[in-house]
């Protein structure tokens, strides 16, 4: 759909304009990138991008990354709306690409981390004949099947307005962590209607995962403890979810269009968790933890937008105004029972031979939580020829969280926040663009102190200045930026009772990011990324002012070589280096730096067949991906070898 020189992208684009016009830093991972390394979660490839660090939420049963020193806390997006917020690992086989936008503009994207946002772009019908089957296996034990089929609907001799596509994934795998498996089944059908006036996408998804709760590792005797799992073999996890999405974009008149993005997710989680609660003072034992939980939840997301365009392709100025409404609700009912301290585990040699407690001896904690967010926003763009784009907007959001503990008084938290944004990009010569932005962000604080009192929302502010260059579609590419982000009203675990939170204060992260793509010749290309961080606690009530923010290095970098060999062989080898980091905000210990090597080979056996061998962590390096205390170290994956074969039929 085109208005003047504005190409209104499909409803699946987040920013609504081409990446070269973006007023913010943007990185992208494509489906072919993830296939080259046989990734099965975002944590397999995220740290190859500048400004992106590995994270984890809920002991590995949900994905998480850190952007510019700030954790996303699992708040990822799918096709521009919130993805499943209740414990799901999105399979890369369902993605066309992953968009990483640095620095959150809450006017357009709502609440979240000030570091930015990650948007999964799902595979959709595109009127092509698609028939692809991929099977593979590897070590640690893994077997995997992916089926991707699609086509246009109707008579093959005539153009059709309808197309369909279905992606099916089945995986049976071990993670390399003892007693932690990762089995999944995904079925994602979609139907697309498209003409020059309207675009409509209907998409459904069934997702079943059995990835065990992965209890973290610890730091004792001056170093991390590796090659030990504190997950009891009797641990069991089962999560099932169903998603239905409807997305529409259509012309409403000469200069008007309407956009609607909706998503409904219903899920169930049933788990038995057996591991540890915390590291004991003797630094030799772990306090045992046992929990049984049933979680039933529903999640709704609705985004409606009215767009108006003025000006023409031949005019000096064109305007695009967006008036939108965002609605989000997550309703979760959790029934759980737990015991803390019924057993202990040896830090270096955990033995799981103890009897499990009877249900009657467990402490019950049943509750229902309802999180609501409603917002209205106004955003305006002015495009001046082929040189300038100026954007600005304002948004008012209201967040309400209710906790309804069984038999107790309802606890209610209400936050309201108004944010603004301003940005510009300037294409001052062909292929060269300068950009700058000032963006505000917010995220509700749903944690509580020991008196069950709520906290004010987190509030972020970013300033960024950058430069990007691209020489042709396949030529040299470069992007660099400098930024500063300040965030207020942060929380951390209460040391007196880790079930509650206390204010951390304010933090500041500033840095420099550089990325480039260099085609050395017709066969060899080089990707590089480099990040410098300065992450500090600037205000704090427990003596940590001036300390470095935990888990954020001073330097990180990545390098990837892609080489086309004779006989239709393609080789890629890459390295990721993460510098030393502080293990906690008290800066009481350091996490060592690490360098991880990855490699892959792709061999085109014929027009219809590809063979891929991928090895992650080639040298089997022991490393800590992220941490947040002496008893919260997320260790990286051991060496993983995967062999896949793909057929087009």
């Amino acid at each position: 759909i085109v208005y003047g020189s504005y190409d209104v992208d499909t409803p699946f684009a987040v920013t609504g304009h081409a990446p070269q016009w973006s007023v913010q830093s943007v990185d992208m991972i494509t489906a072919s990138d993830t296939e080259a390394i046989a990734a099965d979660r975002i944590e397999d490839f995220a740290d190859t991008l500048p400004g992106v660090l590995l994270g984890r939420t809920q002991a590995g049963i949900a994905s998480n990354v850190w952007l510019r020193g700030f954790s996303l806390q699992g708040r990822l997006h799918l096709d521009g709306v919130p993805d499943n917020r209740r414990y799901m690992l999105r399979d890369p086989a369902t993605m066309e690409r992953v968009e990483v936008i640095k620095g959150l503009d809450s006017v357009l994207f709502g609440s979240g981390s000030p570091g930015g946002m990650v948007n999964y772009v799902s595979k959709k019908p595109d009127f092509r004949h698609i028939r692809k089957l991929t099977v593979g296996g590897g070590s640690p034990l893994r077997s995997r099947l992916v089926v991707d089929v699609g086509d246009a609907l109707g008579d093959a001799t005539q153009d059709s307005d309808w197309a369909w596509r279905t992606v099916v994934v089945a995986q049976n795998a071990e993670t390399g962590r003892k007693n932690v498996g990762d089995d999944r089944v995904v079925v994602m059908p979609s139907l697309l209607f498209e003409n020059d006036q309207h675009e409509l996408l209907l998409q459904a998804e069934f997702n079943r995962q059995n990835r065990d709760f992965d209890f973290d590792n610890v730091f004792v005797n001056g170093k991390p403890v590796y090659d030990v799992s504190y997950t009891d073999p009797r641990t069991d996890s089962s999560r099932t979810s169903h998603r239905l999405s409807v997305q529409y974009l259509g012309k409403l008149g000469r200069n008007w269009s309407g956009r609607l993005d909706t998503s409904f997710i219903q899920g169930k989680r049933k788990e038995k968790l057996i591991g540890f609660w915390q590291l004991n003072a003797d630094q030799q034992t772990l306090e045992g933890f046992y929990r049984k939980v049933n979680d039933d939840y529903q999640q709704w997301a609705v985004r409606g937008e009215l767009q108006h365009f003025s000006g023409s392709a031949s005019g000096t100025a064109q305007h695009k105004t967006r008036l939108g409404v965002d609605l989000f609700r997550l309703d979760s009912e959790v029934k759980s029972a737990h015991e803390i301290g019924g057993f202990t585990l040896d830090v270096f040699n955990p033995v799981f031979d103890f009897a499990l407690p009877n249900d009657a001896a467990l402490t019950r904690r049943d509750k229902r939580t309802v999180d609501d967010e409603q917002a209205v926003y106004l955003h305006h763009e002015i495009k001046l020829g082929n040189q300038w784009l100026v954007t600005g907007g304002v948004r008012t959001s209201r967040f309400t969280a209710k906790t309804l503990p069984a038999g107790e008084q309802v606890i209610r938290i209400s936050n309201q926040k108004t944010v603004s944004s301003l940005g510009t990009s300037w294409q001052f010569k062909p292929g060269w663009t300068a950009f700058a932005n000032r963006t505000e962000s917010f995220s509700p604080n749903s944690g509580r102190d020991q008196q069950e009192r709520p906290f004010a929302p987190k509030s972020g502010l970013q300033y960024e200045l950058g430069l990007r260059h691209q020489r042709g579609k396949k030529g040299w590419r470069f992007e660099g930026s400098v930024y500063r982000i300040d965030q207020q009203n942060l929380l951390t675990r209460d040391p007196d009772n880790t079930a509650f939170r206390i204010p951390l204060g304010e933090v500041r992260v500033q840095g420099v990011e550089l990325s480039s793509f260099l085609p050395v010749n017709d066969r060899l290309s080089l990707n590089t990324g480099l990040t410098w961080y300065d992450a500090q606690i600037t205000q704090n009530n427990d003596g940590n002012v001036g300390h470095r923010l935990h888990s954020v290095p001073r330097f990180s970098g990545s390098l990837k070589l892609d080489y086309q060999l004779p006989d239709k062989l393609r080789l890629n080898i890459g390295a990721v280096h993460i510098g030393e980091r502080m293990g906690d905000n008290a800066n009481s210990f350091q996490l060592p730096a690490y360098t991880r090597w990855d490699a892959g080979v792709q061999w085109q056996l014929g027009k219809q067949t590809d063979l891929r061998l991928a090895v992650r962590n080639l040298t089997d390096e022991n490393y800590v991906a992220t941490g947040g205390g002496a008893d919260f170290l997320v260790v990286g994956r051991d060496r993983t070898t995967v062999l896949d074969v793909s057929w087009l039929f």
Side-chain angles (χ1 to χ4, degrees):
I1 299 178
V2 178
Y3 293 87
S5 65
Y6 266 110
D7 184 359
V8 183
D9 207 343
T10 61
F12 331 123
V14 174
T15 58
H17 47 70
Q20 63 265 27
W21 280 104
S22 177
V23 301
Q24 297 173 254
S25 293
V26 178
D27 278 309
M28 192 176 299
I29 294 288
T30 66
S32 59
D33 294 328
T34 63
E35 289 174 353
I37 60 173
D40 62 13
R41 70 200 74 178
I42 192 174
E43 288 84 352
D44 291 337
F45 54 81
D47 58 353
T48 62
L49 300 177
V52 184
L53 300 169
L54 298 184
R56 191 174 67 180
T57 184
Q58 293 297 325
I61 64 176
S63 283
N64 188 40
V65 296
W66 292 53
L67 298 184
R68 292 188 166 172
F70 295 92
S71 170
L72 296 191
Q73 298 180 333
R75 299 169 69 90
L76 309 179
H77 286 69
L78 175 67
D79 296 329
V81 297
D83 200 4
N84 194 327
R85 297 279 173 86
R86 297 295 288 183
Y87 322 113
M88 191 189 80
L89 296 166
R90 177 152 296 283
D91 196 288
T94 65
M95 309 172 198
E96 197 67 49
R97 64 184 185 272
V98 182
E99 301 169 336
V100 180
I101 300 175
K102 311 291 185 59
L104 182 65
D105 179 358
S106 277
V107 171
L108 290 177
F109 307 132
S111 61
S113 164
M117 69 168 292
V118 170
N119 181 54
Y120 299 129
V121 180
S122 66
K123 290 182 177 177
K124 304 173 182 67
D126 60 5
F127 300 92
R128 291 184 299 123
H129 179 79
I130 303 170
R131 300 289 188 275
K132 186 175 181 179
L133 172 66
T134 303
V135 297
S139 174
L141 181 66
R142 163 182 162 133
S143 57
R144 182 173 167 88
L145 168 71
V146 179
V147 180
D148 185 1
V149 292
D151 214 333
L153 283 173
D155 191 338
T157 63
Q158 299 179 357
D159 291 337
S160 174
D161 293 334
W162 292 91
W164 64 276
R165 189 170 185 174
T166 299
V167 179
V168 178
V169 182
Q171 174 176 296
N172 182 276
E174 299 294 331
T175 63
R177 298 273 290 167
K178 189 176 181 180
N179 304 326
V180 180
D182 188 4
D183 305 331
R184 64 185 71 166
V185 175
V186 185
V187 181
M188 192 178 77
S190 53
L191 182 66
L192 175 67
F193 172 82
E194 183 178 285
N195 61 22
D196 60 353
Q197 297 288 323
H198 306 280
E199 297 169 351
L200 174 67
L201 174 74
L202 306 176
Q203 190 175 80
E205 182 178 17
F206 168 78
N207 201 305
R208 175 176 292 167
Q209 296 186 343
N210 189 340
R211 190 189 192 282
D212 300 296
F213 203 85
D214 184 0
F215 289 86
D216 307 304
N217 280 42
V218 297
F219 189 95
V220 297
N221 299 333
K223 59 184 179 180
V225 177
Y226 296 112
D227 302 320
V228 175
S229 172
Y230 304 117
T231 298
D232 191 295
R234 292 167 288 185
T235 292
D236 184 56
S237 299
S238 177
R239 292 173 299 283
T240 303
S241 65
H242 304 80
R243 175 176 62 89
L244 177 63
S245 298
V246 179
Q247 297 184 294
Y248 169 78
L249 175 67
K251 282 189 174 182
L252 303 179
R254 181 178 178 182
N255 295 314
W256 293 88
S257 70
R259 171 174 172 168
L260 179 66
D261 302 276
T262 66
S263 175
F264 172 71
I265 300 172
Q266 185 174 38
K268 181 182 291 288
R269 175 172 65 111
K270 184 176 182 180
E271 295 184 321
K272 181 168 61 178
L273 316 176
I274 314 167
F276 78 94
W277 177 249
Q278 64 184 15
L279 178 65
N280 288 324
D282 62 11
Q283 300 283 294
Q284 299 295 316
T285 59
L286 303 167
E287 195 73 14
F289 178 71
Y290 176 79
R291 185 188 185 199
K292 297 177 71 175
V293 57
N294 284 277
D295 178 12
D296 292 275
Y297 64 90
Q298 293 181 329
Q299 176 180 306
W300 297 265
V302 179
R303 181 177 184 175
E305 190 173 274
L306 187 64
Q307 303 175 354
H308 179 261
F309 303 84
S310 61
S312 65
S314 59
T316 58
Q318 297 180 78
H319 298 263
K320 176 182 176 182
T321 304
R322 303 161 67 177
L323 176 63
V325 175
D326 265 348
L327 304 173
F328 176 81
R329 166 171 281 202
L330 177 58
D331 188 338
S332 174
E333 186 170 1
V334 177
K335 297 180 179 180
S336 70
H338 70 272
E339 179 184 77
I340 298 174
F343 57 91
T344 60
L345 297 175
D346 185 275
V347 165
F348 302 100
N349 185 32
V351 178
F352 304 102
D353 60 354
F354 46 85
L356 299 180
N358 295 322
D359 288 355
L362 302 178
T363 301
R364 294 204 61 84
R365 188 172 176 82
D366 298 345
K367 65 178 181 179
R368 179 186 172 200
T369 59
V370 181
D371 294 339
D372 283 294
E373 185 174 344
Q374 306 95 27
V376 59
Y377 62 92
L378 178 66
H379 191 267
H380 188 73
E381 297 180 3
I382 305 174
K383 191 175 182 182
L384 302 173
N386 290 317
Q387 284 191 303
W388 286 92
L389 178 70
V390 180
T391 70
V394 63
R395 177 191 185 103
T396 295
S397 297
R398 179 176 176 81
F399 175 83
T400 303
K402 292 189 296 184
T403 303
L404 298 83
E408 301 179 26
Q409 185 177 0
V410 175
I411 302 169
R412 181 185 178 92
I413 297 174
S414 293
N415 297 148
Q416 187 165 332
K417 188 71 175 178
T418 298
V419 293
S420 63
S421 67
L422 183 65
T424 185
S425 60
W426 174 34
Q427 296 192 23
F428 56 91
K429 60 185 301 186
W432 290 90
T433 304
F435 60 93
N437 62 77
R438 177 196 181 275
T439 58
E440 292 183 303
S441 61
F442 87 100
S443 181
N445 268 323
S446 57
R448 298 170 177 81
D449 63 15
Q450 292 196 42
Q451 285 73 45
E452 296 287 357
R453 293 175 300 193
F455 298 94
K458 297 185 283 286
S459 178
L461 175 63
Q462 171 180 275
Y463 292 95
E464 181 183 26
L465 181 64
L467 178 70
R468 64 172 64 96
H469 172 66
Q470 180 161 348
R471 182 179 297 174
K473 291 185 177 180
K474 297 183 179 181
W476 178 57
R477 296 195 303 269
F478 165 84
E479 181 169 297
S481 66
V482 295
Y483 66 88
R484 171 173 168 162
I485 302 176
D486 294 275
Q487 189 179 35
Q488 302 174 333
N489 301 327
L490 297 179
L491 307 180
T492 190
R493 291 192 299 179
D494 189 334
D496 297 328
N497 188 334
T498 55
F500 295 96
R501 299 292 183 264
I502 60 174
L504 170 65
E506 299 179 10
V507 299
R508 181 197 68 221
V509 181
Q510 53 192 7
V512 179
E513 292 175 3
L514 303 171
S515 63
S516 68
F517 168 75
L518 177 63
V520 179
N521 54 43
D522 292 341
R523 292 183 177 272
L524 178 65
S525 63
L526 174 66
N527 280 279
T528 63
L530 181 64
T531 309
W532 171 77
Y533 299 91
D534 175 22
Q536 291 190 17
I537 299 172
T538 53
Q539 291 187 22
N540 189 263
N541 61 2
D542 60 4
N544 290 336
V545 172
H547 286 190
R548 291 169 57 187
L549 195 61
H550 76 84
S551 299
V552 183
R554 293 200 185 277
F555 294 98
S556 68
S558 64
L559 173 71
K560 180 186 175 184
L561 288 169
D562 195 298
Y563 187 62
Q564 181 68 54
L565 296 163
D567 300 322
K568 298 182 179 181
L569 281 170
R570 193 176 196 90
L571 170 68
N572 64 79
I573 185 166
V576 174
H577 176 78
I578 306 295
E580 57 84 17
R581 299 140 290 159
M582 292 299 171
D584 59 14
N585 288 325
N587 290 185
S588 62
F589 67 98
Q590 287 188 355
L591 301 176
Y594 69 88
T595 300
R596 188 189 74 246
W597 291 87
D598 305 319
V601 178
Q602 182 176 348
W603 184 14
Q604 189 174 348
L605 301 176
K607 291 183 178 181
Q608 310 296 325
T609 308
D610 281 341
L611 178 68
R612 290 189 302 273
L613 173 66
V615 184
R616 291 192 300 275
N617 195 4
L618 191 65
T619 60
D620 205 19
E621 174 89 359
N622 279 327
Y623 65 94
V624 177
T626 190
D631 54 5
F632 176 37
L633 302 185
V634 178
V635 298
R637 298 182 73 172
D638 293 338
R639 182 194 295 120
T640 304
T641 304
V642 177
L643 181 66
D644 285 339
V645 182
S646 295
W647 292 275
L648 300 178
F649 60 96

